[in-house]
Amino acid sequence: MTTSTKTQAKSTDVLISVDAMGGDAGPAAVVAGMARSAQKNPNIAFILHGPTDVLRPLVTRRKTLMNRVEFQDAQDVVLMQDRPAHVLRNGKGTSMWSAIDAVREGRATVAVSCGNTGALMALSMIGLKKLKGINRPALAILFPSRNPQGFNVMLDAGADVRADAQDLLQYAIMGSSYARNGLLLRRPRIGLLNVGTEQHKGHAELKEANELIRSFADKADFDFVGFVEGGDIPGDTCDVIVTDGFTGNVAIKTGEGTATLIGDLLQDAFRYTPLSRLASLLSLTSLRRLQKRIDPRRVNGGVFLGLAGTVVKSHGSSDATGVSAAVKLAFQLAQSGFSERLSARVAAVAEYASDSET
Amino acid sequence: MTTSTKTQAKSTDVLISVDAMGGDAGPAAVVAGMARSAQKNPNIAFILHGPTDVLRPLVTRRKTLMNRVEFQDAQDVVLMQDRPAHVLRNGKGTSMWSAIDAVREGRATVAVSCGNTGALMALSMIGLKKLKGINRPALAILFPSRNPQGFNVMLDAGADVRADAQDLLQYAIMGSSYARNGLLLRRPRIGLLNVGTEQHKGHAELKEANELIRSFADKADFDFVGFVEGGDIPGDTCDVIVTDGFTGNVAIKTGEGTATLIGDLLQDAFRYTPLSRLASLLSLTSLRRLQKRIDPRRVNGGVFLGLAGTVVKSHGSSDATGVSAAVKLAFQLAQSGFSERLSARVAAVAEYASDSET
């Protein structure tokens, strides 16, 4: 059983539904991230899900959160090691379920969680249902890139290990809609991930998807650049990279792992000699600027697309900086009316597709 | 028709068969890389394949190469954009074919080429034949990692977009043999790439491969750590990462692209202010040390495994540093008798497998 405590949030506020539990850094990091967002953004307010007895003292300590947090008590927690199937059977009392339920009921349009990705996906599917015309919802992530907007959208990053040509078309449509609303790109460039850019390379289903996505580019208002390679995920040949959830998950984790390794080696390098230690002091600002640019915590807001409602997945290891970035993304998407726009776009394309068949 | 010009190479020399053509940087970069290797290693000699009229002046200019290069004239070149099927029909007069043919004839045990990967794989398959017991040969690459040896082996990096459970087992066996001979690891740790480390995740064929590889670990003399994720490619949980050529190719290119992006951003960061420019001068040594560690040109020797003979694929964009690294790897593998050891290992496992079936 969950009970809700109302606050005096202003009617102009955008309400974000936040799961306080399940992240590696615990609820204190989540509340700290909310406070950081609230300080920068006067129009944001929260519904906070978790054990109220634990959460209220954390919130009370933050002046910027005064009168901007509605508590929704939920005593259970989804653990990182819980299997999705287990959570589906036993998850109704958890903070994660409660956070999604607030979106289902229309009390918020976007939910944020740092918890177990598989469980979040499973509960979101049950709670929010798939959009009409969508077969497999997808997890879209932002990856640092050479493009002017600073990062690219990549989907699916691991919601489903499989995707056929129709699914990849839907990912292209959802990804371009997300890039339009989240990155403010008027006409996003879409690329289809393959092992080479030549027409004859890759699996048969990719060749089919290549034709299919090309034929919908104008209708769905994006530019299709055709096949792209792994190097284009951090590159500037396109803004949205479309792939299946298996390949996408491996690619993003390889990229993140490489970035972290280089960051650590860089720190080691500067520790090596007195001269390099001095250099690192002199270059602190430059290095911090770089770190900010490639910090996975700042671009860690994965978004589940294809559901009747938007769910932002923050990294499990998110600290206050990471949570604040995910909350900011949730706010942008809620304020732009993204959920409604995506739903309309998918419906229009589905209608067009069935028209062309008859 | 090709003609060969003998040199006075010493009988103790290890002969490496080098394709001078087909790389983006042209034959001058290849000869420069050979010269660099020859300077460091008195026991290396070369058979150089390509248009002798072009190559001889390049070699004559390098004193360290005197009497260490045998020319094998081949006037045709495999271009980067040539399709493998086209090369198979028309490739007999090319420098690439000639380089592989020298291995087939036993004049060298290892060939090196910077050319078109697909064509190199196709010609190698035709020229060298598959080892008994191998269904799909694989391209194994080295990727910078947190392990003491500085990098991990990953295969297949793109020889074949498909791999079933049996293929993945063969990759595990070949990868561990390569790690033993190329990285001098007595008992390499093998990981199977997946979207999570839990037993229930991923495709059905991966679960099958997981069981199969585990059951052969002792026989093939490696440790099997089970499922690993993209972050383990640059990590230290295992030494050899096994996956299909589609996933492997995307992963390696994403990792490389990320490393290159960070390198460029780092340079930009140090250019930003006078203070940071000063810092970059002070930290030049540290940065060079780091660059050396993660420079893809230094670890760019991909190796085709599973053929009766060893073919090292250097990056298409290889300059002298890259070619020299590939030649060094070729020398190590030739000197350790890797081709024979791998062949014996694969045969032993195939025999064991057919014994267990009866």
Side-chain angles (χ1 to χ4, degrees):
Chain A
M1 209 187 64
T2 60
T3 57
S4 168
T5 321
K6 289 281 177 215
T7 67
Q8 299 83 352
K10 306 189 297 294
S11 62
T12 53
D13 284 352
V14 172
L15 264 175
I16 306 295
S17 178
V18 177
D19 172 12
M21 313 303 288
D24 296 335
V30 173
V31 173
M34 287 163 53
R36 200 173 290 196
S37 295
Q39 187 142 30
K40 288 184 199 153
N41 184 343
N43 297 317
I44 198 167
F46 303 93
I47 311 176
L48 187 60
H49 306 262
T52 304
D53 50 333
V54 174
L55 299 178
R56 195 183 292 276
L58 293 172
V59 169
T60 308
R61 230 176 285 153
R62 307 276 176 175
K63 272 191 195 151
T64 47
L65 290 177
M66 199 193 292
N67 296 334
R68 295 167 78 173
V69 179
E70 175 182 328
F71 293 92
Q72 179 82 53
D73 190 58
Q75 292 290 329
D76 286 0
V77 176
V78 175
L79 302 175
M80 278 297 170
Q81 64 273 25
D82 285 347
R83 287 191 181 204
H86 171 87
V87 175
L88 281 180
R89 281 193 306 274
N90 309 291
K92 290 281 162 107
T94 62
S95 58
M96 187 185 278
W97 172 259
S98 182
I100 293 163
D101 207 43
V103 173
R104 186 186 62 80
E105 290 179 343
R107 291 188 287 140
T109 57
V110 183
V112 174
S113 175
C114 309
N116 179 328
T117 310
L120 186 60
M121 188 72 202
L123 289 182
S124 300
M125 293 266 282
I126 296 293
L128 299 179
K129 302 287 187 302
K130 291 189 274 188
L131 286 181
K132 193 170 174 305
I134 294 296
N135 178 31
R136 299 180 207 260
L139 176 62
I141 57 96
L142 297 175
F143 199 89
S145 83
R146 292 178 193 273
N147 273 318
Q149 69 268 21
F151 28 84
N152 292 339
V153 175
M154 209 265 305
L155 77 167
D156 175 20
D160 198 314
V161 293
R162 250 163 271 266
D164 64 19
Q166 279 289 342
D167 298 324
L168 294 170
L169 168 64
Q170 291 164 5
Y171 295 173
I173 292 161
M174 297 195 295
S176 70
S177 195
Y178 177 42
R180 237 185 323 265
N181 291 277
L183 302 183
L184 308 176
L185 299 172
R186 207 187 57 73
R187 197 177 165 89
R189 293 163 303 157
I190 312 289
L192 180 60
L193 194 59
N194 199 348
V195 294
T197 55
E198 302 86 352
Q199 291 287 330
H200 63 282
K201 287 208 171 177
H203 299 290
E205 55 268 35
L206 276 179
K207 289 169 206 165
E208 190 192 337
N210 194 41
E211 296 308 311
L212 198 59
I213 296 174
R214 191 177 303 285
S215 70
F216 275 92
D218 270 345
K219 178 73 191 165
D221 210 15
F222 58 72
D223 286 328
F224 184 54
V225 305
F227 288 137
V228 297
E229 301 184 60
D232 295 306
I233 295 177
D236 60 4
T237 55
C238 59
D239 309 295
V240 178
I241 293 94
V242 167
T243 188
D244 66 272
F246 187 89
T247 311
N249 184 276
V250 168
I252 168 85
K253 285 178 179 164
T254 305
E256 280 181 358
T258 305
T260 312
L261 173 65
I262 295 175
D264 291 353
L265 291 174
L266 197 59
Q267 284 203 322
D268 289 352
F270 276 118
R271 239 182 254 126
Y272 211 74
T273 66
L275 206 62
S276 57
R277 274 200 295 275
L278 172 63
S280 81
L281 282 176
L282 288 173
S283 58
L284 263 188
T285 325
S286 301
L287 288 178
R288 287 218 178 109
R289 199 179 303 120
L290 170 64
Q291 200 179 29
K292 190 168 166 177
R293 177 94 157 71
I294 60 166
D295 187 348
R297 296 173 307 168
R298 287 179 185 270
V299 288
N300 77 347
V303 177
F304 285 131
L305 301 176
L307 300 171
T310 302
V311 178
V312 173
K313 163 74 177 90
S314 189
H315 260 214
S317 56
S318 283
D319 55 10
T321 309
V323 172
S324 165
V327 165
K328 182 181 171 191
L329 178 65
F331 178 85
Q332 278 173 352
L333 294 175
Q335 205 184 34
S336 74
F338 170 66
S339 298
E340 298 75 22
R341 285 164 188 264
L342 176 64
S343 163
R345 180 73 67 173
V346 167
V349 171
E351 194 177 322
Y352 175 81
S354 72
D355 280 359
S356 353
E357 276 166 19
T358 56
Chain B
M1 209 187 64
T2 60
T3 56
S4 169
T5 321
K6 290 279 177 217
T7 67
Q8 298 83 352
K10 305 188 297 293
S11 63
T12 54
D13 285 351
V14 172
L15 264 176
I16 305 294
S17 176
V18 176
D19 172 14
M21 312 303 287
D24 296 335
V30 174
V31 173
M34 287 163 52
R36 201 173 293 197
S37 295
Q39 188 141 30
K40 290 184 199 153
N41 184 341
N43 297 317
I44 198 167
F46 304 92
I47 310 177
L48 187 60
H49 306 263
T52 304
D53 50 332
V54 174
L55 299 179
R56 194 183 293 276
L58 293 172
V59 170
T60 309
R61 233 177 282 154
R62 308 273 175 178
K63 271 190 198 153
T64 48
L65 291 176
M66 200 193 291
N67 295 334
R68 295 167 79 174
V69 179
E70 174 183 328
F71 294 92
Q72 179 83 52
D73 189 59
Q75 291 290 330
D76 286 359
V77 177
V78 175
L79 302 174
M80 278 297 170
Q81 64 272 25
D82 285 346
R83 289 192 179 204
H86 170 88
V87 175
L88 281 180
R89 280 193 306 273
N90 309 292
K92 290 282 163 107
T94 63
S95 57
M96 188 184 278
W97 172 259
S98 180
I100 293 164
D101 207 44
V103 174
R104 185 185 64 79
E105 290 179 343
R107 291 187 287 141
T109 59
V110 183
V112 173
S113 174
C114 309
N116 179 328
T117 310
L120 186 60
M121 188 70 202
L123 289 183
S124 300
M125 294 266 282
I126 295 294
L128 300 179
K129 301 288 186 304
K130 291 189 273 189
L131 286 180
K132 194 170 174 304
I134 294 296
N135 178 31
R136 299 180 208 260
L139 176 62
I141 57 96
L142 297 175
F143 199 89
S145 83
R146 292 176 193 274
N147 273 319
Q149 69 269 20
F151 28 83
N152 292 338
V153 175
M154 210 264 306
L155 76 165
D156 174 23
D160 198 314
V161 293
R162 253 162 270 266
D164 64 18
Q166 279 290 342
D167 298 322
L168 294 170
L169 168 64
Q170 290 165 5
Y171 295 174
I173 292 160
M174 296 195 294
S176 70
S177 193
Y178 177 42
R180 234 184 326 264
N181 292 278
L183 303 183
L184 308 176
L185 300 172
R186 207 188 55 75
R187 197 176 165 91
R189 294 163 302 158
I190 312 288
L192 181 60
L193 193 59
N194 199 348
V195 294
T197 55
E198 301 87 350
Q199 291 287 331
H200 63 281
K201 287 207 172 177
H203 301 288
E205 56 268 36
L206 276 179
K207 289 169 205 164
E208 190 192 337
N210 194 42
E211 296 309 310
L212 197 59
I213 295 172
R214 191 178 304 283
S215 72
F216 275 92
D218 269 346
K219 179 71 191 166
D221 212 14
F222 57 73
D223 285 329
F224 183 54
V225 305
F227 289 137
V228 297
E229 301 185 60
D232 295 306
I233 296 176
D236 60 3
T237 56
C238 60
D239 308 298
V240 178
I241 293 93
V242 167
T243 189
D244 66 271
F246 186 90
T247 311
N249 183 276
V250 168
I252 168 86
K253 286 180 180 163
T254 304
E256 280 181 358
T258 305
T260 312
L261 172 65
I262 296 174
D264 292 352
L265 291 174
L266 197 60
Q267 283 203 323
D268 288 352
F270 276 118
R271 240 181 252 125
Y272 211 75
T273 65
L275 206 60
S276 57
R277 274 200 296 273
L278 172 62
S280 80
L281 283 175
L282 287 173
S283 57
L284 263 187
T285 324
S286 301
L287 289 177
R288 287 219 178 108
R289 200 179 303 121
L290 170 65
Q291 200 180 28
K292 190 168 167 177
R293 178 94 156 72
I294 60 166
D295 188 347
R297 294 173 308 168
R298 287 179 184 269
V299 288
N300 76 349
V303 176
F304 285 130
L305 301 176
L307 299 171
T310 302
V311 178
V312 173
K313 161 76 177 90
S314 189
H315 260 214
S317 56
S318 282
D319 54 11
T321 310
V323 172
S324 166
V327 166
K328 183 181 171 190
L329 178 65
F331 178 84
Q332 277 173 354
L333 293 174
Q335 206 182 35
S336 74
F338 170 67
S339 298
E340 298 74 24
R341 285 164 187 263
L342 177 65
S343 164
R345 179 73 66 172
V346 167
V349 171
E351 193 177 323
Y352 175 81
S354 71
D355 281 358
S356 355
E357 275 165 20
T358 56

